[in-house]
Amino acid sequence: MKMENINKWKSAATDGLILSAVTIVYLLVTNLLPSDAKWSSFATIPLWIAKFGGCIWLLYWLMRLYSMKFETITYKSSFAYGTLVSLFSAIVCSCWQYFSMTVLFSKSTDTMMAQVLSVMSSQYTEEQMEAIMPVLDNLPQISLFTNLVYYTLFGLIVSAIVANYTKKANPFNDLTR
């Protein structure tokens, strides 16, 4: 199959949505766990490990499926596709996190911020607290862009590694010239 017949952007967007579903489910489950239970903090560790491994495996699998559509695919093409998938996934995950902080779990966010402020107020002067407040007031927006960069960079690194295993070359290519 020739590369012109496949819409890389549409495929990457669809796969990015699939990849982002893993992180969204993780975030949803961890937000729904009772925060006052002693076991909930221990439960999030295996969940995070499963999400971490699941995201790496799923990106590998999606890149592998994409590479199967071609007779040959270079490292560069495979890496570019993995990067696009990661970028689309990062956009969806970052927007989801912003939405959950501002709409779905806004009370949890407010409670967390109140706890942070109570701890910080005992450690910082009033002037320092006034300087920190604008940052804390814009935490959802800051979180949106921070997560976008984090998820994109993480996907970029994983794509760079995985692309080496999803490339397909024709060993007889040089002989046919």
Side-chain angles (χ1 to χ4, degrees), residues 85-102:
V85 170
S86 299
L87 177 64
F88 285 124
S89 177
I91 291 168
V92 172
C93 288
S94 298
C95 290
W96 169 262
Q97 209 151 6
Y98 177 80
F99 178 71
S100 68
M101 286 179 80
T102 56

Side-chain angles (χ1 to χ4, degrees), residues 108-128:
S108 296
T109 303
D110 293 341
T111 303
M112 178 194 67
M113 293 308 298
Q115 290 172 348
V116 168
L117 286 173
S118 70
V119 170
M120 290 175 71
S121 65
S122 65
Q123 297 174 353
Y124 295 105
T125 66
E126 191 173 318
E127 294 156 351
Q128 291 172 324

Side-chain angles (χ1 to χ4, degrees), residues 18-76:
I18 293 167
L19 182 60
S20 67
V22 174
T23 300
I24 290 171
V25 167
Y26 165 77
L27 292 170
L28 196 58
V29 167
T30 55
N31 279 322
L32 293 175
L33 287 175
S35 59
D36 56 346
K38 291 180 182 179
W39 58 268
S40 68
S41 61
F42 292 111
T44 58
I45 294 169
L47 286 174
W48 182 86
I49 292 169
K51 179 201 81 97
F52 184 79
C55 285
I56 293 171
W57 177 83
L58 185 58
L59 183 60
Y60 167 76
W61 185 72
L62 293 169
M63 289 173 67
R64 190 83 170 147
L65 282 179
Y66 180 75
S67 70
M68 287 180 182
K69 297 176 183 177
F70 305 101
E71 189 176 314
T72 62
I73 187 167
T74 63
Y75 173 86
K76 179 182 174 183

Side-chain angles (χ1 to χ4, degrees), residues 118-149:
S118 70
V119 170
M120 290 175 71
S121 65
S122 65
Q123 297 174 353
Y124 295 105
T125 66
E126 191 173 318
E127 294 156 351
Q128 291 172 324
M129 289 299 294
E130 286 178 22
I132 292 172
M133 286 309 294
V135 173
L136 295 179
D137 290 340
N138 293 317
L139 188 63
Q141 293 88 339
I142 294 168
S143 177
L144 173 86
F145 292 107
T146 304
N147 285 321
L148 184 63
V149 170

